[in-house]
Amino acid sequence: MENLEIGIIGGTGGIGGWFVPLFREAGYAVHPVGRKTGIPLTDLAARCRVVIVSVPIAATGAVIDAVGPLLPPESLLMDFTSLKVEPVRRMLAATTAEVVGCHPLFGPDAAALADQNVILCPARGERWLSWVEGLFRRGCANVTVTTPTEHDRMMALVQGLTHIETMLTGLTLREAGVPAERLAAFTTPVFRAKQAVIEKVFGRRPEMYAEILTANPDLPALLETYERHLAKLKALVLAGDTAGLANLLRDR
């Protein structure tokens, strides 16, 4: 893939921006595009044989619809979205190019690609899949190839339940009203690690975490299970049933 140029829509920040130097270090010309910066999409599609969409979930469909028809069949359209069923469906409908859904399972604070998990969801064509997979594997990432449906089901478990629990803990702490400096004297290392996650979720981009929950079609069923187990735990705690609670936690 000599003289390959890569366009990243949403490449001026976040995970899209994180990949700009990585692709450049691999020897590729990279064109990051932001809302107000970078070359027009028509020029991007004409120059870049690989175009990656790395924007918030709510904006992903519109961006795919805008750039997809501009790409020729020999190109690759890929996304970095946290969900895969709807973005992949949208890419297949919007373009004749090859399509691969991609989810890097780490954030822009990662020090390196090595040992990070990356999910690939091939949807059309085989030529570019081997290139993408090889690129990540050369960076020592742990690559898993799966379907968009399986990806979203697993993300409901991994991201959905994690963010729900974090949000509930953060909201409860907020309502408790204990000053941070007072709470700090009583915290454990585990709690401080949880606090760091809460601050991230409740921080500058809560919309991102909200979208991960509301847009995943597999999460409602898991929430029913979550609520059922929470009700069991609550009943046992209120009853002071230590043995019953311990039995519930045992693997049987």
Side-chain angles (χ1 to χ4, degrees):
M1 301 291 181
E2 294 182 2
N3 302 317
L4 177 65
E5 298 186 41
I6 301 172
I8 305 180
I9 305 173
T12 57
I15 196 66
W18 189 92
F19 273 95
V20 171
L22 185 140
F23 289 146
R24 285 175 175 164
E25 288 171 9
Y28 303 113
V30 184
H31 302 279
V33 174
R35 281 178 292 184
K36 297 180 179 180
T37 59
I39 63 177
L41 292 188
T42 50
D43 295 341
L44 190 79
R47 295 183 61 169
C48 300
R49 291 287 64 81
V50 175
V51 172
I52 301 169
V53 176
S54 182
V55 299
I57 293 173
T60 296
V63 173
I64 289 171
D65 289 347
V67 73
L70 303 175
L71 296 172
E74 62 271 17
S75 296
L76 169 66
L77 180 59
M78 188 164 74
D79 78 304
F80 282 165
T81 319
S82 297
L83 296 171
K84 290 276 82 79
V85 169
E86 181 57 22
V88 168
R89 184 199 69 78
R90 199 77 169 251
M91 287 190 288
L92 288 172
T95 189
T96 58
E98 293 195 12
V99 171
V100 175
C102 177
H103 186 188
L105 292 170
F106 56 93
D109 56 346
L113 182 61
D115 295 324
Q116 301 291 350
N117 290 339
V118 176
I119 305 298
L120 297 179
C121 298
R124 179 189 291 142
E126 298 180 356
R127 173 172 176 259
W128 286 107
L129 174 62
S130 60
W131 173 81
V132 173
E133 189 172 358
L135 182 63
F136 285 125
R137 291 195 187 280
R138 284 193 297 275
C140 297
N142 305 312
V143 181
T144 298
V145 179
T146 188
T147 66
T149 299
E150 176 68 0
H151 169 276
D152 286 5
R153 187 178 76 85
M154 297 302 290
M155 285 303 100
L157 291 167
V158 173
Q159 287 188 318
L161 289 180
T162 298
H163 297 331
I164 284 287
E165 191 274 334
T166 297
M167 291 174 185
L168 287 174
T169 302
L171 292 170
T172 303
L173 287 172
R174 177 191 289 173
E175 192 166 325
V178 180
E181 61 275 11
R182 179 60 176 164
L183 189 63
F186 294 85
T187 58
T188 63
V190 171
F191 187 84
R192 289 194 290 275
K194 170 58 73 175
Q195 277 184 308
V197 176
I198 291 171
E199 290 171 4
K200 187 175 181 180
V201 171
F202 282 67
R204 292 183 300 170
R205 295 185 60 199
E207 295 84 3
M208 179 180 71
Y209 298 96
E211 289 171 347
I212 288 172
L213 297 184
T214 58
N216 191 320
D218 291 290
L219 194 56
L222 280 178
L223 285 176
E224 294 292 331
T225 304
Y226 187 93
E227 286 185 313
R228 177 162 47 82
H229 287 300
L230 179 59
K232 288 181 183 178
L233 289 170
K234 179 181 178 181
L236 291 167
V237 169
L238 294 179
D241 188 353
T242 303
L245 181 53
N247 285 332
L248 183 65
L249 299 180
R250 286 192 177 94
D251 183 15
R252 293 194 260 178

